[in-house]
């Protein structure tokens, strides 16, 4: 009942808008900062996380993943982090595919949190979860308003065509 209210209330949509704009700005500024520097390299962050792994601060399985997968492919992961943060931030600011953008932001923040970066990652994860709980209402005051209604209309058109085919 409470979740339904959150997903339909215009007042809740305003709260989601504020959360969305804060998250969007946070991700976009982090991503653009990395892109504009022209020399972002995730390997330094990964090596710092591996040092914390030796100290027992992060889980050994995560350290093994960082050492065996991420570090040898640091260039790919640097690209993914830069563009991931930028695109998630842009999507959240515009309110486009808000739930998906929030989910991808959560995944990035969980990765950073598992690597020992605890500055504000937990708060960003919680705010992202709030947006996901808000469903389409989280993007009511954004591009999602038109995207989601268009997708719903296409779904209704497709199901109407399928039911007509079944009648024939």
């Amino acid at each position: 009942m409470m979740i339904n209210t959150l997903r339909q209330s215009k007042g809740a949509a305003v709260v989601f808008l504020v959360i969305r704009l804060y998250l969007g700005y946070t991700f976009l500024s982090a991503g653009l900062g990395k892109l504009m520097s022209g020399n972002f390299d995730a390997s330094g962050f990964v090596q710092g996380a591996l040092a914390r792994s030796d100290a027992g601060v992060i889980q050994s399985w995560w350290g093994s993943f960082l050492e065996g997968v991420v570090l040898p492919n640091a260039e790919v992961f640097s690209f993914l982090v830069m563009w991931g943060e930028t695109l998630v931030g842009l999507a959240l600011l515009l309110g486009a595919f808000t739930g998906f953008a929030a989910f991808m932001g959560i995944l990035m923040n969980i990765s950073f949190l598992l690597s020992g970066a605890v500055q504000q990652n937990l708060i960003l994860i919680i705010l992202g979860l709030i947006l996901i709980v808000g469903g389409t209402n989280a993007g009511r005051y954004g591009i999602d308003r038109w995207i989601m209604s268009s997708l719903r209309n296409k779904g209704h058109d497709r199901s109407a065509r399928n039911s007509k085919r079944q009648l024939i």
Side-chain angles (χ1 to χ4, degrees):
M1 180 133 156
M2 175 74 168
I3 291 181
N4 286 336
T5 302
L6 288 174
R7 291 184 173 185
Q8 296 170 358
S9 164
K10 288 184 180 182
V14 172
V15 173
F16 294 139
L17 173 65
V18 171
I19 292 170
R20 219 184 66 227
L21 292 176
Y22 171 74
L23 279 176
Y25 173 78
T26 302
F27 276 105
L28 185 63
S29 62
L32 285 178
K34 291 173 179 73
L35 282 171
M36 298 300 176
S37 74
N39 61 354
F40 173 70
D41 183 11
S43 61
F45 176 78
V46 173
Q47 289 170 346
L50 289 172
R52 287 188 287 278
S53 176
D54 294 340
V57 174
I58 67 170
Q59 299 290 319
S60 61
W61 64 270
W62 185 253
S64 297
F65 170 73
L66 292 175
E67 189 172 26
V69 177
V70 178
L71 197 54
N73 300 298
E75 190 173 313
V76 173
F77 281 91
S78 297
F79 177 85
L80 291 173
V81 168
M82 287 186 301
W83 283 102
E85 287 178 341
T86 302
L87 293 174
V88 164
L90 192 59
L92 288 172
L93 283 173
L94 296 173
F97 302 105
T98 302
F100 180 71
F103 178 72
M104 296 310 291
I106 289 169
L107 285 181
M108 280 190 285
N109 276 301
I110 288 173
S111 298
F112 302 148
L113 194 61
L114 286 171
S115 299
V118 294
Q119 298 91 351
Q120 67 183 39
N121 293 305
L122 185 57
I123 293 168
L124 298 179
I125 290 169
I126 292 168
L127 293 175
L129 286 171
I130 290 170
L131 290 180
I132 289 174
V133 168
T136 57
N137 202 25
R140 176 185 290 223
Y141 299 118
I143 295 174
D144 275 348
R145 181 178 194 164
W146 295 281
I147 292 173
M148 294 305 163
S149 67
S150 174
L151 290 175
R152 265 187 242 116
N153 290 340
K154 286 183 182 184
H156 290 298
D157 292 345
R158 190 175 302 129
S159 65
R161 277 185 269 146
N162 288 339
S163 64
K164 285 181 185 176
R165 286 182 193 153
Q166 290 174 353
L167 294 174
I168 297 176

